Amino acid sequence: MSALDLLCIAPHRDDAELTCGGTLIKAVDAGHRVGVLDLTQGEMGTKGSAELRAAEAAEGARVMGLHVRENLALPDAGISNTDDTRGRLVQVLRRLRPRVVIIPAPRGRHPDHRRTTELARDACFLSGLAKYQPGDHPAFRPFKLLHVVTYREDAVKPSFVVDISAQFARKLEAIQCYGSQFDGTTQAGEVYPNGEPLYDIVTHQAAHYGSLIRVQYGEPFYTDETLQIDDVTSLGVSTF
Protein backbone atom coordinates (compact mmCIF):
# COMPACT_ATOMS: atom_id res chain seq x y z
CA MET A 1 0.00 0.00 0.00
CA SER A 2 1.27 3.47 -0.90
CA ALA A 3 1.90 5.84 1.98
CA LEU A 4 -0.85 8.30 2.89
CA ASP A 5 -0.31 12.02 2.66
CA LEU A 6 -3.03 12.75 5.23
CA LEU A 7 -4.73 10.60 7.89
CA CYS A 8 -7.49 11.60 10.28
CA ILE A 9 -7.65 9.56 13.49
CA ALA A 10 -11.22 9.91 14.77
CA PRO A 11 -12.81 8.44 17.91
CA HIS A 12 -16.13 7.58 16.24
CA ARG A 13 -17.59 7.08 12.81
CA ASP A 14 -18.86 10.54 11.72
CA ASP A 15 -16.33 12.60 13.75
CA ALA A 16 -14.04 13.06 10.74
CA GLU A 17 -16.90 14.29 8.57
CA LEU A 18 -18.15 16.70 11.22
CA THR A 19 -14.81 18.23 12.14
CA CYS A 20 -12.50 18.14 9.12
CA GLY A 21 -14.44 16.59 6.25
CA GLY A 22 -13.90 19.63 4.05
CA THR A 23 -10.15 19.54 4.57
CA LEU A 24 -10.02 15.82 3.75
CA ILE A 25 -12.01 16.39 0.55
CA LYS A 26 -9.78 19.33 -0.39
CA ALA A 27 -6.69 17.15 0.01
CA VAL A 28 -8.26 14.50 -2.23
CA ASP A 29 -9.08 17.21 -4.78
CA ALA A 30 -5.41 18.22 -4.73
CA GLY A 31 -4.33 14.68 -5.64
CA HIS A 32 -3.20 13.55 -2.19
CA ARG A 33 -3.75 10.09 -0.71
CA VAL A 34 -6.13 10.53 2.19
CA GLY A 35 -7.50 8.19 4.84
CA VAL A 36 -9.56 7.98 8.03
CA LEU A 37 -8.99 5.63 10.94
CA ASP A 38 -12.09 5.39 13.15
CA LEU A 39 -11.13 4.01 16.54
CA THR A 40 -14.53 2.61 17.58
CA GLN A 41 -17.56 1.04 15.91
CA GLY A 42 -20.16 3.17 17.68
CA GLU A 43 -21.79 0.26 19.52
CA MET A 44 -22.64 2.45 22.53
CA GLY A 45 -24.51 5.04 20.50
CA THR A 46 -28.07 5.78 21.59
CA LYS A 47 -29.30 5.62 17.99
CA GLY A 48 -28.54 3.18 15.22
CA SER A 49 -26.18 0.22 15.52
CA ALA A 50 -22.55 -0.61 14.82
CA GLU A 51 -23.61 -2.33 11.59
CA LEU A 52 -25.67 0.62 10.38
CA ARG A 53 -22.93 3.08 11.24
CA ALA A 54 -20.43 0.95 9.32
CA ALA A 55 -22.60 1.30 6.21
CA GLU A 56 -22.97 5.04 6.80
CA ALA A 57 -19.19 5.40 7.23
CA ALA A 58 -18.59 3.56 3.97
CA GLU A 59 -20.93 5.96 2.18
CA GLY A 60 -19.24 8.94 3.84
CA ALA A 61 -15.88 7.65 2.63
CA ARG A 62 -17.25 7.37 -0.90
CA VAL A 63 -18.56 10.94 -0.84
CA MET A 64 -15.23 12.26 0.45
CA GLY A 65 -13.23 10.18 -2.03
CA LEU A 66 -11.07 8.56 0.65
CA HIS A 67 -8.39 6.11 -0.38
CA VAL A 68 -8.50 4.29 2.97
CA ARG A 69 -11.03 3.98 5.78
CA GLU A 70 -10.36 1.50 8.57
CA ASN A 71 -11.66 0.80 12.05
CA LEU A 72 -9.51 -0.18 15.04
CA ALA A 73 -12.52 -1.65 16.92
CA LEU A 74 -11.62 -0.18 20.31
CA PRO A 75 -14.51 -0.12 22.83
CA ASP A 76 -16.91 2.77 22.25
CA ALA A 77 -17.09 5.03 25.31
CA GLY A 78 -14.07 3.14 26.61
CA ILE A 79 -11.03 4.31 24.62
CA SER A 80 -7.92 4.12 26.78
CA ASN A 81 -4.28 5.02 26.33
CA THR A 82 -2.55 1.78 27.29
CA ASP A 83 0.41 -0.18 26.01
CA ASP A 84 -2.02 -2.43 24.14
CA THR A 85 -3.96 0.34 22.40
CA ARG A 86 -0.77 2.27 21.64
CA GLY A 87 0.75 -0.85 20.12
CA ARG A 88 -2.31 -1.53 17.96
CA LEU A 89 -2.33 2.04 16.67
CA VAL A 90 1.43 2.00 16.07
CA GLN A 91 1.08 -1.00 13.74
CA VAL A 92 -1.53 0.86 11.65
CA LEU A 93 0.62 4.00 11.48
CA ARG A 94 3.64 2.00 10.31
CA ARG A 95 1.54 0.33 7.63
CA LEU A 96 -0.22 3.46 6.35
CA ARG A 97 2.78 5.80 6.84
CA PRO A 98 0.87 9.11 6.89
CA ARG A 99 2.93 12.29 6.56
CA VAL A 100 0.31 14.46 8.31
CA VAL A 101 -2.10 13.22 10.99
CA ILE A 102 -5.23 15.04 12.14
CA ILE A 103 -6.32 14.30 15.72
CA PRO A 104 -9.10 15.75 17.93
CA ALA A 105 -8.91 19.00 19.85
CA PRO A 106 -6.87 19.10 23.08
CA ARG A 107 -10.18 19.26 24.95
CA GLY A 108 -13.49 17.59 24.21
CA ARG A 109 -16.95 16.96 25.61
CA HIS A 110 -16.86 13.19 25.07
CA PRO A 111 -14.21 11.31 27.09
CA ASP A 112 -13.31 9.30 23.97
CA HIS A 113 -12.33 12.50 22.18
CA ARG A 114 -9.88 13.62 24.87
CA ARG A 115 -8.41 10.14 25.21
CA THR A 116 -8.04 9.76 21.45
CA THR A 117 -5.92 12.92 21.38
CA GLU A 118 -3.52 11.54 24.00
CA LEU A 119 -3.47 8.03 22.54
CA ALA A 120 -2.87 9.21 18.99
CA ARG A 121 -0.11 11.62 19.94
CA ASP A 122 1.73 8.99 21.97
CA ALA A 123 1.36 6.38 19.23
CA CYS A 124 2.64 8.75 16.56
CA PHE A 125 5.82 9.25 18.58
CA LEU A 126 6.28 5.62 19.55
CA SER A 127 5.80 4.41 15.98
CA GLY A 128 9.17 5.96 15.21
CA LEU A 129 11.00 3.81 17.79
CA ALA A 130 12.36 0.75 16.00
CA LYS A 131 12.53 -1.33 19.19
CA TYR A 132 8.97 -0.50 20.30
CA GLN A 133 6.71 -3.46 19.51
CA PRO A 134 8.43 -4.42 16.23
CA GLY A 135 6.14 -6.04 13.69
CA ASP A 136 5.66 -6.51 9.97
CA HIS A 137 6.45 -2.89 9.08
CA PRO A 138 9.49 -0.71 9.81
CA ALA A 139 9.46 2.14 12.28
CA PHE A 140 7.86 5.32 10.98
CA ARG A 141 6.92 8.65 12.54
CA PRO A 142 4.50 11.18 10.98
CA PHE A 143 5.98 14.60 10.21
CA LYS A 144 3.12 16.76 11.47
CA LEU A 145 0.22 16.50 13.92
CA LEU A 146 -2.76 18.81 13.57
CA HIS A 147 -5.52 19.28 16.15
CA VAL A 148 -8.88 19.94 14.53
CA VAL A 149 -10.68 22.46 16.77
CA THR A 150 -14.00 22.79 14.95
CA TYR A 151 -16.77 23.62 17.47
CA ARG A 152 -14.17 23.89 20.29
CA GLU A 153 -13.63 27.62 20.70
CA ASP A 154 -13.30 27.13 24.45
CA ALA A 155 -10.04 25.23 23.87
CA VAL A 156 -7.41 27.18 21.93
CA LYS A 157 -7.30 29.83 19.24
CA PRO A 158 -6.82 28.25 15.79
CA SER A 159 -3.32 28.37 14.36
CA PHE A 160 -4.83 28.48 10.87
CA VAL A 161 -8.10 27.94 8.99
CA VAL A 162 -8.47 25.93 5.77
CA ASP A 163 -10.69 27.44 3.07
CA ILE A 164 -13.27 24.73 2.28
CA SER A 165 -15.70 26.92 0.34
CA ALA A 166 -15.43 24.74 -2.78
CA GLN A 167 -15.75 21.55 -0.72
CA PHE A 168 -18.45 22.50 1.77
CA ALA A 169 -21.40 21.05 -0.15
CA ARG A 170 -19.65 17.67 -0.25
CA LYS A 171 -18.70 17.94 3.44
CA LEU A 172 -22.38 18.45 4.28
CA GLU A 173 -23.35 15.57 1.99
CA ALA A 174 -20.86 13.32 3.81
CA ILE A 175 -22.28 14.34 7.20
CA GLN A 176 -25.80 13.63 5.93
CA CYS A 177 -24.76 10.05 5.20
CA TYR A 178 -25.20 9.49 8.95
CA GLY A 179 -28.96 9.82 8.94
CA SER A 180 -29.28 7.47 11.91
CA GLN A 181 -27.31 9.94 14.01
CA PHE A 182 -28.16 13.37 12.67
CA ASP A 183 -31.53 13.53 10.89
CA GLY A 184 -33.89 15.62 12.98
CA THR A 185 -31.29 16.34 15.68
CA THR A 186 -29.96 19.59 17.16
CA GLN A 187 -26.77 18.24 18.77
CA ALA A 188 -24.04 15.69 18.02
CA GLY A 189 -20.49 15.10 19.21
CA GLU A 190 -18.85 18.44 19.92
CA VAL A 191 -21.67 20.38 18.24
CA TYR A 192 -23.53 22.18 21.01
CA PRO A 193 -27.23 22.90 20.42
CA ASN A 194 -28.73 26.31 19.82
CA GLY A 195 -32.21 25.13 18.86
CA GLU A 196 -31.52 24.89 15.13
CA PRO A 197 -31.29 21.65 13.11
CA LEU A 198 -27.81 20.18 13.33
CA TYR A 199 -27.09 20.60 9.62
CA ASP A 200 -27.82 24.34 9.93
CA ILE A 201 -25.49 24.63 12.92
CA VAL A 202 -22.70 22.93 10.95
CA THR A 203 -23.25 25.40 8.11
CA HIS A 204 -23.21 28.43 10.39
CA GLN A 205 -20.11 27.23 12.20
CA ALA A 206 -18.24 26.68 8.91
CA ALA A 207 -19.31 30.16 7.81
CA HIS A 208 -17.96 31.59 11.07
CA TYR A 209 -14.57 29.95 10.63
CA GLY A 210 -14.54 31.05 7.01
CA SER A 211 -15.14 34.65 8.08
CA LEU A 212 -11.92 34.52 10.11
CA ILE A 213 -9.98 34.23 6.84
CA ARG A 214 -12.46 36.25 4.71
CA VAL A 215 -13.92 33.30 2.79
CA GLN A 216 -17.34 31.63 2.76
CA TYR A 217 -16.54 28.43 4.68
CA GLY A 218 -13.57 27.19 6.71
CA GLU A 219 -12.26 24.57 9.13
CA PRO A 220 -9.92 25.56 12.01
CA PHE A 221 -6.79 23.76 13.19
CA TYR A 222 -4.25 24.14 15.99
CA THR A 223 -0.60 23.12 16.13
CA ASP A 224 1.65 23.10 19.18
CA GLU A 225 4.64 24.22 17.17
CA THR A 226 5.05 27.67 15.62
CA LEU A 227 4.33 27.77 11.90
CA GLN A 228 7.10 28.83 9.53
CA ILE A 229 6.51 31.64 7.01
CA ASP A 230 9.17 32.27 4.33
CA ASP A 231 7.65 35.28 2.57
CA VAL A 232 5.66 37.73 4.68
CA THR A 233 4.65 39.67 1.57
CA SER A 234 2.54 36.72 0.37
CA LEU A 235 0.51 36.30 3.56
CA GLY A 236 -3.23 36.05 3.08
CA VAL A 237 -6.21 37.50 5.02
CA SER A 238 -6.56 41.27 4.95
CA THR A 239 -6.13 43.09 8.26
CA PHE A 240 -8.81 45.67 7.35
Side-chain angles (χ1 to χ4, degrees), residues 45-68:
T46 302
K47 296 178 291 184
S49 64
E51 294 75 19
L52 177 55
R53 295 186 74 173
E56 292 172 334
E59 182 62 11
R62 184 195 65 78
V63 171
M64 292 190 290
L66 300 180
H67 299 84
V68 175

Side-chain angles (χ1 to χ4, degrees), residues 14 19 35 43 49 54 58 60-61 69 76 79 82 85 90 94 146 148 151 164 172 202 205 217 225 229:
D14 70 38
T19 60
E43 68 274 10
S49 64
R69 186 164 206 162
D76 187 17
I79 292 176
T82 65
T85 57
V90 160
R94 289 173 176 169
L146 304 177
V148 60
Y151 318 117
I164 62 163
L172 194 58
V202 170
Q205 288 284 302
Y217 296 114
E225 61 278 7
I229 298 296

Side-chain angles (χ1 to χ4, degrees), residues 122-135:
D122 288 354
C124 283
F125 178 82
L126 292 171
S127 66
L129 300 180
K131 294 182 180 179
Y132 179 80
Q133 298 202 16

